[in-house]
Amino acid sequence: MFLTMLRAKLHRATVTQCDLHYEGSISIDKDLLEASGILVNERVDIWNITNGARLSTYAIEAPRGSKTFGVNGAAARHFQLGDRIIIATFAQIEEEKARQHAPTVVMLDENNDIVPHVA
């Protein structure tokens, strides 16, 4: 049996841009993609801490060091600049391996800088 497990999470990111007329997706700083292990074009869930909106889209790369979290396309109707969000990915893992699995969690401050995290 396979279980759906949290694979990676960017926690409490701050939305830095919204572009209703862009094709879709969420733009994430390349440094933060690498820190979390989230891949370009990977499906991500976005949970808006500020207003409770939840949706799925895919990640695209924003310039390295930009601290960008840009919500694009129709999803931009559910987010505003300054909203705090959680971005999460999941993976199918065999039950025995799932018992030992630990996701990558990257905690962010209001400036989208990585802060220490103790699990």
Side-chain angles (χ1 to χ4, degrees), residues 73-109:
R77 294 197 181 276
H78 301 282
F79 297 83
Q80 294 183 11
L81 297 180
D83 282 359
R84 299 302 295 269
I85 59 174
I86 298 168
I87 297 102
T89 64
F90 297 86
Q92 298 291 314
I93 302 174
E94 292 177 9
E95 184 176 4
E96 286 305 311
K97 291 180 181 178
R99 294 179 190 285
Q100 305 304 317
H101 172 71
T104 301
V105 177
V106 177
M107 304 292 289
L108 301 167
D109 67 13

Side-chain angles (χ1 to χ4, degrees), residues 17-25 70-79:
Q17 65 186 55
C18 291
D19 185 351
L20 181 62
H21 302 291
Y22 188 83
E23 177 179 317
S25 67
V71 183
N72 302 308
R77 294 197 181 276
H78 301 282
F79 297 83

